[in-house]
Amino acid sequence: MDQAVTTTPKPAIRKYYDRANPDLLNRIPLTARKVLELGCGAGALGAALKRPAPDLFYAGLELDDDAAAIAAERLDLVAVFNADTDSLPDAITKQAPYDAIVFGDVLEHLRDPWAVVRAFSKLLAPGGTMLTCIPNVQNWNILQTLMTEGFRYEDEGLF
């Protein structure tokens, strides 16, 4: 992998695909040597994690072809993947076990998230960490916005 990290996504990629969730970033164990992320976008989370730990092996699976192409420049292994319809790529399973598996704002989009979690759990090392981030519409900030401003469509996020 080239050590230079592209920080500006191609114009076709919305900022949505090129953001590292700080809550997930801060919870990936520092001892992890292999990480797998479903829905890696343009690889921002992996790139942020690899900056201080360049020897970390980071694999990503992404549905969007354009975002996956950018992620492939940043991460060690990337495959275009639809968790609802595709079998796990051999290149991903051959790298198992993973010390951490990350699902950042992706499980809520799947037809059967429990089946996906079960399939990915087979790739997790004993004592490994599985991290999920799932939007919470009952968050006080969301409820306050709904009560004071009503529902207004935004380019991304819960609204």
Side-chain angles (χ1 to χ4, degrees):
M1 184 188 102
D2 185 7
Q3 293 300 320
V5 176
T6 306
T7 57
T8 306
K10 295 177 183 177
I13 301 297
R14 296 184 347 229
K15 286 187 224 175
Y16 175 80
Y17 290 106
D18 200 32
R19 249 195 294 259
N21 180 327
D23 292 327
L24 289 173
L25 181 62
N26 292 330
R27 286 173 175 80
I28 296 172
L30 296 175
T31 56
R33 300 309 327 140
K34 282 187 174 181
V35 178
L36 173 61
E37 180 181 5
L38 176 61
C40 69
L45 181 65
L49 194 62
K50 285 179 72 67
R51 266 185 223 109
D55 293 336
L56 170 77
F57 180 86
Y58 202 101
L61 295 165
E62 175 54 44
L63 179 63
D64 184 87
D65 293 328
D66 292 333
I70 295 170
E73 297 173 8
R74 298 171 162 179
L75 307 180
D76 300 294
L77 176 62
V78 175
V80 175
F81 177 75
N82 183 331
D84 282 325
T85 60
D86 298 343
S87 295
L88 281 163
D90 287 341
I92 295 292
T93 59
K94 286 178 182 175
Q95 290 296 328
Y98 293 92
D99 301 309
I101 297 177
V102 180
F103 302 100
D105 296 313
V106 68
L107 292 175
E108 69 277 10
H109 298 283
L110 303 177
R111 282 186 236 146
D112 188 354
W114 290 111
V116 171
V117 168
R118 277 191 299 277
F120 276 74
S121 69
K122 294 173 185 171
L123 303 177
L124 195 61
T129 301
M130 190 172 279
L131 296 161
T132 65
C133 180
I134 300 169
N136 178 7
V137 75
Q138 292 182 337
N139 177 285
W140 71 269
N141 194 22
I142 301 295
L143 294 175
Q144 181 182 25
T145 300
L146 287 171
M147 290 187 292
T148 58
E149 301 174 31
F151 186 95
R152 58 186 178 354
Y153 284 101
E154 297 178 4
D155 290 338
E156 60 188 69
L158 287 176
F159 295 112

